[in-house]
Amino acid sequence: MPHILDGKKIAQNLKDQLKIEIENIKIKSKRVPGLAVIQIGNIAASSVYVKAKTKAAKEVGIDVIDHHLAESTNQNDLINLINQLNNNDDVNGILVQLPLPKTINEDLVLNSILPEKDADGFHPLNVGKLSISQKNDENLMIPCTPYGCLLLLRELNINLAGKNAVVIGRSNIVGKPMAQLLLKESCTVTTVHSKTQNIESICRNADILVAAIGKPEFVNRDWVKEGAIIIDVGINRIKVNDAKSKLVGDVMFDEVKDKCHAITPVPGGVGPMTIACLLRNTTIAFKKIKNLNRI
Amino acid sequence: MPHILDGKKIAQNLKDQLKIEIENIKIKSKRVPGLAVIQIGNIAASSVYVKAKTKAAKEVGIDVIDHHLAESTNQNDLINLINQLNNNDDVNGILVQLPLPKTINEDLVLNSILPEKDADGFHPLNVGKLSISQKNDENLMIPCTPYGCLLLLRELNINLAGKNAVVIGRSNIVGKPMAQLLLKESCTVTTVHSKTQNIESICRNADILVAAIGKPEFVNRDWVKEGAIIIDVGINRIKVNDAKSKLVGDVMFDEVKDKCHAITPVPGGVGPMTIACLLRNTTIAFKKIKNLNRI
C-alpha cells in the first residue's frame, strides 16, 4: 500500500507549531505577526484561496489586514497601497493574490513589495537568494507551494540525496523554485515542459515526480516508475456531467497510486501545505524585522 | 568532422561589435563605459584573469580602473571601496576577482555591489531576475561564463527548443545560471553533480552537454552521445611530467571530439567568451544608467 501523504494533517502540524511560536512571540514582544492580503476583483478561485488563507492565518494568531479592491483598480493605486503597507510596522507579510487584471503589470507589482515582507517569496531578490543559498534554510522566503512540496517529501524520512527528481512545469511560482529546492537536497534534477521530447520516458526514470503543469490527469500509470514518490501540484476542476464537477490533480491518482511508494491526493495534498507555508513566511518575516531569535 | 567552436574568434566578433557600439556611445554622450577591477592578493590564476580582462576592456574602449589590494585587506575596507565605486558615476561595472581571502565573506562583498553595476551578474537581485525572466534578453546582467556558453551554442544555428541538455555541476557561477539559460531556450534541462547516481548514463542521453565540474578530463568517450554538442567549461592545469604542465578541460577532448556534432577546445573555447561577456555586461550597465538606446 502506498503512503498517501496527508497534506491536511501535515499542514495542521505545521500550523500547530506556528501557533505555539506566535503565542510565545506575543508573550515576549506584546505583538503578533501581521499579514496584508490584497485581492482585486472577484475571480471565484481567488476568493476561495483568500478566504482559506485568511482563516488559516487567524487560526494561528496572525493578524490579517484585508484589502479587497475593485476590478477597476489601477496599477498606481495598487502600488501606492503596497508602499503604504511596506511602511506600516504592523504589516510583516504582504500577499497579492494572483492573477491580477490584465491592465496591471504583475512583475512591477510584485517587485514593489519590500523583499522583507514578500510572504509569497516571488520578489527577484528572494528568488536570487533561494538560488544562491547552499541550504534550504529556515530564514529564506521560499515560494509557498514548492516549499510545501519539500516538507511533504521530508515527512517520508528518506534520504533525498542522489534521488532522480523530475519536475513537470517551469513556472516561476512552482516549477523553477521546486527545481532549486530539490537541487539543494542533492537530488539530480530534470525540468520537463511543453517543449520536452520523450516526456514519458523521462518521467518513468523519476524516483521523485513533481507534477505542476496544470493539465488534468496528465500523468498516467505508464509514466510512473515502480516505487516512485509523486507530488501532485495540480488543482483542476473538471466536469463529471452537466450538473457536477470535481477537482482532480495533474496525475491520474487512482490508476497511479498502487505503483508508488508515496503520493499526494488532490484535494488535501499540496494545497493545505501552500497555505501553511505562507503563514511560516509571515512569521519568519516578523521575527527578522523584530530581530527575535527562534523561540 | 566535428565543429570545433572557436571561442577566440567568436569572442573577437563580439568584442568588435562592442567596440563599434562604444565608439558610437562616445560620439553620442562624450563618455565611455568604466569598469572597476578589484583584485586582492596575488593568486597567480587571478592575476592572469585580471590581466586578460583589463586588456580586453581597453581593446574595446572601456575605461579600466584598477584596484589591486594587499592580501591583508580587511572586509570593511573592501566594502568601503565598493561603496565608493557604487557612488562613482565614472564606474559602470564593478568586478571583484574571486576567490577572496578566507577572512572575507564573499557573499557579503558581492551583495554590496550595486546590482546595476554588477558586471559579473552574481548579485542575488540579478540572479533572481535571470530566473524569473521569460527570455534571455539583452538587458539582463547574466553571469559571464554561462552566457558565453549560450552564445557559443547559438553560433551553431540550431533550434535549441526540446533538446535534451545536461549540465554537470551546480555552482552559482556556472552550473545554476547555465541551467536557467538553457531552460529559457526551451531545452529539457538536467543538472547532475557529485551526488548523482548513474551520471554516465544521464550524460549519454544529452544532446547538449555542458561540463562545469572542475575535474580534469572527467568526461570520457563513453559518456557522450553520438552527435552531441559539448561545451567544456573546465580549465584545469595538469602535470605532463616534472618539468611541464598543460591546460585541459573537464572533457577528454581528443577521444571525444570525433563523436560530437560540435565541441569547444580548452583553451580557446569558453574562456575568451567569458571575458567578452564581461565587457557586454559593462556596456549594458552603462547604457542603462545613461538611458541610451541601443545604437
Side-chain angles (χ1 to χ4, degrees):
Chain A
M1 281 294 291
H3 295 271
I4 308 294
L5 284 162
D6 185 346
K8 231 171 146 175
K9 189 175 141 200
I10 298 162
Q12 191 59 53
N13 291 345
L14 179 53
K15 286 191 284 182
D16 289 346
Q17 283 170 34
L18 286 170
K19 194 177 174 181
I20 293 168
E21 192 170 359
I22 290 167
E23 278 165 5
N24 285 331
I25 283 174
K26 201 174 170 179
I27 292 167
K28 211 170 162 177
S29 72
K30 315 281 178 217
R31 303 183 69 162
V32 297
L35 174 66
V37 179
I38 304 176
Q39 183 188 353
I40 301 194
N42 292 296
I43 298 171
S46 291
S47 296
V48 170
Y49 290 135
V50 164
K51 201 175 154 188
K53 289 170 183 175
T54 303
K55 181 167 168 273
K58 287 179 179 168
E59 267 171 36
V60 301
I62 290 175
D63 259 352
V64 179
I65 304 108
D66 233 336
H67 289 277
H68 193 168
L69 309 179
E71 174 77 25
S72 60
T73 302
N74 74 38
Q75 186 171 294
N76 282 349
D77 289 344
L78 176 57
I79 290 178
N80 283 339
L81 171 62
I82 290 172
N83 285 337
Q84 281 172 34
L85 298 169
N86 283 341
N87 292 314
N88 181 343
D89 283 349
D90 292 334
V91 173
N92 304 104
I94 301 171
L95 163 75
V96 178
Q97 183 65 43
L98 301 179
L100 294 173
K102 281 187 179 145
T103 52
I104 295 181
N105 181 331
E106 201 168 283
D107 278 351
L108 212 67
V109 167
L110 295 180
N111 291 5
S112 73
I113 298 172
L114 205 65
E116 294 83 350
K117 298 191 178 188
D118 169 35
D120 263 331
F122 295 158
H123 190 286
L125 189 70
N126 289 323
V127 172
K129 284 182 177 175
L130 177 65
S131 170
I132 290 167
S133 73
Q134 297 304 310
K135 284 188 177 176
N136 293 321
D137 83 72
E138 65 180 25
N139 280 317
L140 291 166
M141 300 292 263
I142 304 173
C144 304
T145 299
Y147 191 60
C149 295
L150 177 62
L151 294 183
L152 287 172
L153 287 173
R154 285 187 179 157
E155 282 292 315
L156 293 167
N157 280 319
I158 54 161
N159 184 7
L160 298 176
K163 289 275 184 292
N164 196 7
V166 174
V167 177
I168 313 178
R170 51 173 165 168
S171 72
N172 287 325
I173 295 177
V174 186
K176 288 181 193 169
M178 188 76 240
Q180 298 284 358
L181 290 168
L182 292 167
L183 189 62
K184 272 186 276 189
E185 298 292 326
S186 289
C187 295
T188 299
V189 183
T190 301
T191 302
V192 301
H193 46 77
S194 55
K195 295 287 190 294
T196 295
Q197 285 160 10
N198 303 319
I199 192 167
E200 291 187 33
S201 69
I202 296 171
C203 290
R204 232 182 338 256
N205 274 319
D207 302 313
I208 297 167
L209 185 62
V210 180
I213 202 162
K215 290 190 178 172
E217 300 182 321
F218 186 65
V219 175
N220 66 38
R221 192 175 167 89
D222 287 345
W223 294 37
V224 173
K225 182 178 173 177
E226 196 79 44
I229 298 164
I230 313 280
I231 306 288
D232 189 351
V233 178
I235 302 180
N236 313 285
R237 186 166 288 282
I238 59 167
K239 272 198 171 181
V240 179
N241 56 42
D242 280 352
K244 262 191 168 175
S245 70
K246 65 169 182 174
L247 288 180
V248 297
D250 291 351
V251 178
M252 286 188 170
F253 182 86
D254 286 334
E255 68 169 57
V256 162
K257 69 176 193 294
D258 293 334
K259 218 173 164 183
C260 306
H261 173 66
I263 187 167
T264 61
V266 177
V270 174
M273 296 302 293
T274 297
I275 295 178
C277 289
L278 171 73
L279 310 180
R280 168 198 169 271
N281 277 349
T282 305
T283 308
I284 287 175
F286 176 89
K287 290 194 293 180
K288 270 194 193 167
I289 288 173
K290 305 302 170 195
N291 223 345
L292 294 169
N293 295 320
R294 196 167 176 84
I295 298 164
Chain B
M1 281 294 291
H3 296 270
I4 309 294
L5 284 161
D6 185 345
K8 231 171 145 177
K9 190 175 141 200
I10 299 162
Q12 191 58 53
N13 291 345
L14 179 54
K15 286 192 284 182
D16 290 345
Q17 283 170 32
L18 286 170
K19 194 176 173 182
I20 293 169
E21 193 170 359
I22 290 167
E23 280 165 3
N24 286 331
I25 284 174
K26 202 174 170 180
I27 292 168
K28 211 169 162 177
S29 72
K30 315 280 176 220
R31 303 184 70 162
V32 296
L35 174 66
V37 179
I38 304 175
Q39 184 187 353
I40 300 194
N42 292 297
I43 298 172
S46 291
S47 296
V48 170
Y49 291 135
V50 163
K51 201 175 154 189
K53 289 170 184 175
T54 302
K55 182 167 166 273
K58 288 180 178 167
E59 268 171 35
V60 301
I62 291 175
D63 259 353
V64 178
I65 303 109
D66 233 336
H67 288 277
H68 193 168
L69 309 179
E71 175 77 24
S72 60
T73 302
N74 74 37
Q75 185 171 296
N76 282 349
D77 289 343
L78 176 56
I79 290 178
N80 284 339
L81 171 61
I82 290 171
N83 285 336
Q84 280 172 34
L85 297 169
N86 283 341
N87 292 315
N88 182 343
D89 282 349
D90 292 333
V91 173
N92 304 104
I94 301 171
L95 163 75
V96 178
Q97 184 64 43
L98 303 180
L100 294 172
K102 281 190 179 140
T103 52
I104 295 180
N105 181 332
E106 202 168 282
D107 278 351
L108 212 67
V109 168
L110 296 180
N111 292 3
S112 73
I113 298 172
L114 205 63
E116 293 84 349
K117 298 191 177 187
D118 169 34
D120 263 331
F122 295 158
H123 190 286
L125 190 68
N126 289 324
V127 173
K129 283 182 176 175
L130 177 64
S131 170
I132 290 168
S133 72
Q134 298 303 312
K135 284 189 177 174
N136 293 321
D137 81 71
E138 66 180 24
N139 280 316
L140 290 167
M141 301 292 263
I142 304 174
C144 304
T145 298
Y147 191 61
C149 296
L150 178 62
L151 295 183
L152 288 172
L153 287 174
R154 284 187 179 158
E155 282 292 316
L156 294 167
N157 280 321
I158 53 161
N159 185 7
L160 298 175
K163 290 274 184 293
N164 197 6
V166 174
V167 178
I168 313 177
R170 52 173 164 167
S171 72
N172 287 326
I173 294 176
V174 186
K176 287 181 193 169
M178 188 76 241
Q180 298 284 358
L181 290 168
L182 291 167
L183 189 62
K184 271 186 277 189
E185 299 292 326
S186 289
C187 295
T188 299
V189 183
T190 301
T191 302
V192 301
H193 47 78
S194 55
K195 294 287 190 294
T196 294
Q197 285 160 9
N198 303 320
I199 191 166
E200 292 187 32
S201 68
I202 295 172
C203 290
R204 230 182 339 255
N205 274 318
D207 302 313
I208 298 168
L209 184 63
V210 180
I213 201 162
K215 290 189 178 173
E217 300 182 321
F218 186 66
V219 175
N220 67 37
R221 192 175 167 89
D222 288 344
W223 294 37
V224 172
K225 182 179 174 176
E226 196 78 43
I229 298 165
I230 312 281
I231 306 288
D232 189 350
V233 179
I235 301 179
N236 313 286
R237 186 165 288 281
I238 59 167
K239 272 197 171 180
V240 178
N241 57 41
D242 280 353
K244 262 191 168 176
S245 70
K246 65 168 183 173
L247 289 180
V248 298
D250 292 352
V251 179
M252 286 188 169
F253 182 87
D254 286 335
E255 68 169 57
V256 162
K257 68 176 194 294
D258 293 333
K259 219 173 163 183
C260 306
H261 172 67
I263 186 168
T264 62
V266 177
V270 174
M273 296 302 293
T274 298
I275 295 178
C277 290
L278 172 72
L279 310 180
R280 168 198 169 272
N281 278 349
T282 305
T283 309
I284 287 175
F286 176 88
K287 290 194 293 180
K288 269 195 196 167
I289 288 173
K290 305 302 171 196
N291 222 347
L292 293 170
N293 296 320
R294 196 168 176 84
I295 299 163

